[in-house]
Amino acid sequence: MPFDVFERVLRPLRSRPVTSRYPDAAPDLPAAARGLPELDAARCDGSAACVDVCPTGAIALPGSLWTLDAGACVFCGACERVCPRDAIRLGQRIELAARGRADLTIERTWRREP
Ligand code: SF4
């Protein structure tokens, strides 16, 4: 029985840490991690398929702008799957802390086809 006590005391000292140094060190995300959608503005033709499919209404296309409400996005990937020109892909950005609601709106200017 006393060996069991020693084993319990020593086990944590022998094992590797299970926590990370986040946020001091960036997290190691798996390849399949889903982050915030990113727009390749050069590929976008303004079809608005992403706007129609987004379940939370996070995407809007007012004029020549593509806007994403990062506070409403749930990283479902529907916009990425439906985009006919592969202009949207889920990126690796998962840190969305902001000081205000307005800071969560991301705007990109998309280019219309000639
Ligand atoms: S990932 Fe889902 S919730 Fe986020 S913008 Fe795309 S369709 Fe909308």
Side-chain angles (χ1 to χ4, degrees), residues 37 54-56 58-59 68 73-79 90:
C54 180
T56 62
I59 302 177
L68 172 67
C73 178
V74 293
F75 312 127
C76 68
C79 53
L90 295 184

Side-chain angles (χ1 to χ4, degrees), residues 34-37 49-51 53-59 66-70 72-82 88 90:
R34 291 168 172 252
L36 207 58
C50 55
V51 176
V53 77
C54 180
T56 62
I59 302 177
W66 180 89
T67 67
L68 172 67
D69 181 351
C73 178
V74 293
F75 312 127
C76 68
C79 53
E80 179 186 64
R81 289 190 298 275
V82 77
I88 299 175
L90 295 184

Side-chain angles (χ1 to χ4, degrees), residues 16-96:
R16 295 177 51 203
V18 293
T19 56
S20 70
R21 299 191 52 81
Y22 183 83
D24 295 332
D28 261 342
L29 296 178
R34 291 168 172 252
L36 207 58
E38 295 172 352
L39 177 74
D40 181 347
R43 298 183 68 94
C44 180
D45 66 356
S47 72
C50 55
V51 176
D52 296 336
V53 77
C54 180
T56 62
I59 302 177
L61 272 171
S64 61
L65 280 181
W66 180 89
T67 67
L68 172 67
D69 181 351
C73 178
V74 293
F75 312 127
C76 68
C79 53
E80 179 186 64
R81 289 190 298 275
V82 77
C83 181
R85 297 186 46 129
D86 295 327
I88 299 175
R89 68 174 186 82
L90 295 184
Q92 295 279 302
R93 183 176 164 200
I94 58 168
E95 296 166 312
L96 302 176

